[in-house]
Amino acid sequence: MQKTSSTTKLVIFLVVLGLISYLASLYVDWLWFKSVNFPSVFSTILLNKIGLYVFIFLATALLFAFNLRLTRRHMGPVEEPVYDDEEGRVIYLDDEKTPWKEFLRGKSSRWLYLGISLFAAYLVSSVAVDNWIVVQQYINRVPFGTTDPIFNKDLGFYFFNLTFYKFAYGTLMMALILLIITLGSIYLINASTNLLFGNWRQFSFAKGHMATLLAAIFLLKAWGYKLAAYDILFSPAGIVYGATYSDIFARLLSYRILLLLSIIIAAVILANIFVKKFKWILISLGAWVLVAVLMGSVYPSLIQKLVVQPNEFNKEKPYIENAIKYTRQAYGLDRAENREFNIDYNLDISDPSHQSTIDNIRLWDWQPLRTTYKNLQQLRSYYVFDDVDIDRYTVDGEYRQLMLSVREIDQEELPQQAKTWINQRLMYTHGYGLVVSPVTEVAEEGFPQFFVKDIPPRFSTDLKIERPEIYFGEKTDNYVIVNTSQKEFDYPAGEKNVYTRYEGKDGIKIKSFARRLLFGWVLKDYKMLLSSDITNESQVLMNRNILDRVQKVAPYLSYDGDPYIVINDDGKLYWVLDAYTVSDKYPYSEPFDKQRNNYLRNSVKVICDAYTGKMNFYIADESDPIIKTYSRIFPQVYQPLSAMPEGLRSHLRYPVDMFSIQAQMYRTFHMTDPSVFYNKEDPWLIPNETVEDKQVKMEPYYLVMRLPEEENPEYILMMPFTPKSRANMVGWMCARMDGDNYGKMLVYNFPKQETIYGPEQIESRINQNTEIAQQLSLWDQRGSRVYRGNLLVIPMGNSVLYVEPLYLQAENNRLPELKRVIAAFENKVVMEPSLDTALLKLFGQNQRVESQQTGVVVTPGELPGATVAELAKSAREYYDRANQLLRDGDWAGYGENIKKLNETISRLEEAAKP
């Protein structure tokens, strides 16, 4: 007995401890939401979860309690009658000899049934509570304004109503199945006693009770068939995604028959309580199973084989039209503007209208550039460049495309002896600054030309950063405590370090020892209690990873995998995150992932201050009904896009993840003619390119360029297409993102009667060019390695220009240097040290190109360099190449390069003359 008492006390203690821990964590969450100015989000989510949990818990508990009370009342007395044949008297068994009957039927059974009711209520409510957002979406639903072609219902019905109805159906079905299993078990145990003693009088009620519940399940199942009928709009089995001929004329019919049959079965079961025709139940259940098999599988297959396949296109044509129409709507492809692009190859590269495009042709790819940044600008082992972002800025009055990378701190990279609690929690709290370089300019030795570099930041343009500290970022995954007695490390300055103090107000203040104890418990950090550096004014900065941070506020949104940093007009750094509304409930729309999601909108732009962590959520697509619904549920969270500061709004960009999905869907759904679609006459492919030394699928990339037929340069995201089974280019898609053109999609359709070189063909021509191939083979020897960058496909005028950068890096100590630029136009491919010289060699003697790097006008007669700097660079390259060839024993190549070196020196002497 003592042992049982100790066990009970231990269980109670653990339960209380768990409850205290949960409440403490909940309170810290509340403090965090309050610190980031979103207390309404915390209260809305918590109250909705509690409200839904309590409602379902009470409803389920009452359902079980009511039925268990009926069961207990009609199970008969505790004592079972026994007839004494010798004396002719009726006696009852002793209660002590049958204690389990007291447990089921006696006074103590009330506690048993109460426990069963509460446990069942816990199971059902725990499963259902996370669907609070489904309930709120139903309550705050808004119409789409578009109806489906089969049931003529507004599409909002499938996004909000149907989802809610399925949730309600699933919850009710779970509760009823648990109830019938529970009551069946109790009746079965009781029946064993009744059969033993010949007492049949309790069977009548048990039979009626179970029959009623079974009838309720079949009535609910009838509603389930009604809901399932709508799912044919998302059927994956036909020629297109969505309802096809066999779905409409077979599966939909089967659902309607099964619905009617379920109602009939429920009526037969209820009638059997009175008419005692158990055979009717068996017959109706048999019919239900037979119809489910025949109508659900056999009949649709027969319709497909005997009716559809002999005349498939004519039968499926309206459904193909539906699939094309609704898929294009779901991904916004119906908004894309199509233009015919007639090639003439009469490109005048010296035309001033092309200069803005030439000045922003991207020569730096983010992969090799990140490696270069790490080698040149990481400065300390604990600093990391996690990613390279691409954006556009007006620099010194010019519209330029820039590469940016934030210098975050990674405490895991601290020396082992420096990984102390003080260093990780109080001292090394933030990263510092970023590097910025233009996409086109190359400094000496093939390194990027920095506009912003070093610590503290040094600037070579009018870009300025007033607040370079990075407390919140992509790599900051741990919490820190600021405003303590311990100075925070700011940045290294020679042999000394510069220290600072956090000036933000958005952390959670300690305030008291009780809060310190609370944080120590929740964060599992007892050293917080012992540290003398922590004061009541200290602040805890939690959830510093920007993706985790925004997901905590809006977990119902999906987020782009590439947040990017922005330098605002005020000199502060902000993170921009793209958020999506995603659903699998758009009728007839082809899914884009394994979860069968088939609707996508970039409806929200999130701004997060890199210093304070403050977040703002802006509605970027006001036409999206899903975000309208969320803004009704959380009115304190979302702001109109017009409320975003102009300095940040000008840096909004079309997200790569969304554009990639749209491009993937457009490969098939550019075919709007049902006949062409059915025969798959014109499927497009995303072409391959050579990156590094591997064949990979092309990815979308950002460019600043002047689109043909447009007056001004603009920022775009682009992707070329090739036809299936051929390598020539057939289409080119871009998303525009400047000013009023933001979000507009443009597709150029190339003529099919002539060959327009596709990326794979250009890559092949590069490989087949003997001069280029020889140079690449030469570099790929003795410890060096060539890295081939992304191939850019750039429409200019009525022509297409192709540009690919080449980087050279050591095999062991990789430090990519931009050494050559390959350019291709029409039937000519060239490789030169710079883009300017490549274009001049490509377009001939009558062209003039202004060098973005030097500002000097270069002509072909002055090649390989017009300035002393360019000639000196060429001389150094010939000299290095000659020495390499000498080491390799290539005397012919050595002699050729010495000859070119001599010519270059002669030109240097000419240039040096007064």
Side-chain angles (χ1 to χ4, degrees), residues 18 73 116 270 280-281 284 289 305 315 344 352 405 424 467 511 542 681 687 714 767 781 850:
R73 180 181 296 177
I116 292 174
L270 289 175
W280 292 2
I281 297 178
S284 60
V289 172
K305 292 180 179 180
K315 294 295 184 183
D344 59 18
S405 189
Q424 292 182 308
R467 181 61 77 180
K511 285 190 176 180
M542 299 170 56
E681 294 179 16
E714 55 186 289
N767 294 333
Q781 295 177 12
E850 182 177 348

Side-chain angles (χ1 to χ4, degrees), residues 74-77 80-81 83 105 187 190-208 276:
H74 291 86
M75 280 200 302
E80 295 295 347
Y83 296 90
R105 307 181 191 176
Y187 280 129
N190 185 60
S192 64
T193 302
N194 293 332
L195 289 171
L196 179 64
F197 295 101
N199 183 11
W200 298 83
R201 63 190 180 88
Q202 287 87 23
F203 283 130
S204 178
F205 180 80
K207 177 183 174 183
K276 313 298 182 184

Side-chain angles (χ1 to χ4, degrees), residues 633-913:
I633 301 171
F634 301 100
Q636 304 300 321
V637 173
Y638 295 101
Q639 307 175 54
L641 194 61
S642 58
M644 183 184 293
E646 177 58 34
L648 294 174
R649 195 161 67 245
S650 63
H651 289 281
L652 295 181
R653 69 185 195 186
Y654 204 88
V656 170
D657 286 359
M658 180 169 177
F659 185 77
S660 297
I661 292 171
Q662 290 177 312
Q664 190 70 23
M665 301 309 299
Y666 197 78
R667 296 187 311 110
T668 302
F669 289 92
H670 72 276
M671 296 181 285
T672 55
D673 183 277
S675 177
V676 175
F677 187 96
Y678 171 77
N679 292 305
K680 298 294 185 289
E681 294 179 16
D682 189 26
W684 290 359
L685 298 177
I686 293 174
N688 292 324
E689 63 172 337
T690 303
V691 174
E692 199 166 2
D693 57 354
K694 303 172 184 176
Q695 285 286 310
V696 297
K697 287 290 183 185
M698 291 193 75
E699 296 180 354
Y701 46 84
Y702 292 100
L703 285 175
V704 170
M705 63 173 291
R706 186 185 69 84
L707 291 168
E709 304 175 6
E710 301 294 334
E711 295 183 0
N712 299 314
E714 55 186 289
Y715 199 45
I716 65 161
L717 181 62
M718 60 136 299
M719 171 68 77
F721 296 100
T722 58
K724 187 176 181 180
S725 303
R726 289 179 293 154
N728 60 290
M729 191 162 61
V730 70
W732 186 92
M733 171 188 281
C734 76
R736 306 168 68 179
M737 55 196 88
D738 282 351
D740 294 337
N741 288 325
Y742 182 89
K744 294 181 179 179
M745 298 183 70
L746 174 64
V747 178
Y748 286 131
N749 295 293
F750 293 100
K752 299 178 181 179
Q753 65 273 14
E754 58 181 297
T755 298
I756 314 298
Y757 288 118
E760 293 176 65
Q761 291 174 319
I762 295 296
E763 296 283 20
S764 296
R765 292 180 59 203
I766 292 172
N767 294 333
Q768 294 166 5
N769 186 290
T770 55
E771 181 180 348
I772 296 176
Q774 181 181 13
Q775 185 65 66
L776 296 183
S777 298
L778 179 63
W779 277 336
D780 268 332
Q781 295 177 12
R782 299 212 173 183
S784 65
R785 184 176 171 210
V786 174
Y787 187 109
R788 291 174 64 168
N790 292 120
L791 177 65
L792 307 184
V793 182
I794 308 168
M796 295 179 68
N798 289 329
S799 306
V800 180
L801 177 67
Y802 308 86
V803 176
E804 179 175 289
L806 286 183
Y807 312 92
L808 188 63
Q809 58 188 4
E811 187 69 33
N812 296 326
N813 185 20
R814 296 187 179 183
L815 180 57
E817 301 174 13
L818 180 58
K819 287 300 185 181
R820 290 292 184 271
V821 177
I822 298 174
F825 181 78
E826 198 172 5
N827 293 315
K828 192 173 183 182
V829 178
V830 300
M831 182 177 72
E832 292 296 324
S834 69
L835 175 64
D836 305 323
T837 54
L839 294 179
L840 289 170
K841 188 172 181 180
L842 194 63
F843 289 98
Q845 298 294 323
N846 298 323
Q847 306 293 336
R848 291 162 54 85
V849 178
E850 182 177 348
S851 171
Q852 180 65 32
Q853 184 175 343
T854 64
V856 176
V857 175
V858 184
T859 64
E862 297 168 332
L863 290 175
T867 66
V868 171
E870 289 175 334
L871 290 169
K873 181 179 179 182
S874 295
R876 167 57 64 182
E877 289 175 349
Y878 289 136
Y879 174 77
D880 290 342
R881 191 184 306 167
N883 281 333
Q884 180 65 48
L885 292 170
L886 181 62
R887 287 192 294 269
D888 295 342
D890 186 351
W891 295 99
Y894 172 78
E896 180 67 24
N897 278 275
I898 289 296
K899 179 181 178 182
K900 290 182 178 179
L901 175 60
N902 182 56
E903 294 174 355
T904 305
I905 292 174
S906 298
R907 294 194 180 197
L908 272 170
E909 291 171 345
E910 290 293 325
K913 290 181 180 179

Side-chain angles (χ1 to χ4, degrees), residues 260-427:
L260 181 61
L261 194 55
S262 296
I263 296 174
I264 293 173
I265 292 172
V268 169
I269 291 173
L270 289 175
N272 195 254
I273 298 174
F274 307 101
V275 299
K276 313 298 182 184
K277 298 290 186 181
F278 186 69
K279 186 185 294 185
W280 292 2
I281 297 178
L282 295 178
I283 293 173
S284 60
L285 289 174
W288 175 62
V289 172
L290 184 63
V291 170
V293 172
L294 292 178
M295 296 300 297
S297 179
V298 177
Y299 182 63
S301 298
L302 290 175
I303 290 292
Q304 183 69 26
K305 292 180 179 180
L306 301 179
V307 179
V308 176
Q309 289 182 0
N311 193 20
E312 189 173 45
F313 174 69
N314 290 328
K315 294 295 184 183
E316 302 287 18
K317 180 180 177 181
Y319 310 110
I320 294 174
E321 291 174 341
N322 291 337
I324 295 172
K325 175 183 176 181
Y326 286 91
T327 299
R328 289 171 63 88
Q329 287 179 1
Y331 297 101
L333 302 179
D334 57 328
R335 308 173 190 172
E337 179 187 359
N338 279 266
R339 296 181 186 175
E340 296 299 320
F341 197 96
N342 296 314
I343 292 285
D344 59 18
Y345 293 112
N346 293 323
L347 178 61
D348 181 4
I349 197 69
S350 64
D351 190 329
S353 64
H354 299 313
Q355 192 62 45
S356 59
T357 301
I358 296 171
D359 289 347
N360 287 283
I361 291 177
R362 203 177 95 197
L363 301 181
W364 285 103
D365 293 341
W366 71 269
Q367 298 98 327
L369 185 61
R370 182 175 65 172
T371 303
T372 303
Y373 281 168
K374 287 180 178 180
N375 281 277
L376 299 180
Q377 283 289 305
Q378 190 163 299
L379 303 181
R380 292 291 188 274
S381 62
Y382 43 77
Y383 286 130
V384 294
F385 291 107
D386 185 60
D387 192 16
V388 177
D389 298 318
I390 306 168
D391 202 355
R392 72 286 199 196
Y393 289 79
T394 299
V395 181
D396 293 337
E398 295 185 12
Y399 193 55
R400 302 291 301 277
Q401 187 178 11
L402 307 181
M403 315 285 275
L404 308 90
S405 189
V406 173
R407 191 183 290 107
E408 295 190 62
I409 196 165
D410 185 358
Q411 294 181 353
E412 291 300 317
E413 297 299 327
L414 286 169
Q416 192 61 39
Q417 65 273 16
K419 291 182 180 180
T420 64
W421 185 85
I422 289 178
N423 282 346
Q424 292 182 308
R425 294 288 177 257
L426 310 183
M427 190 172 176

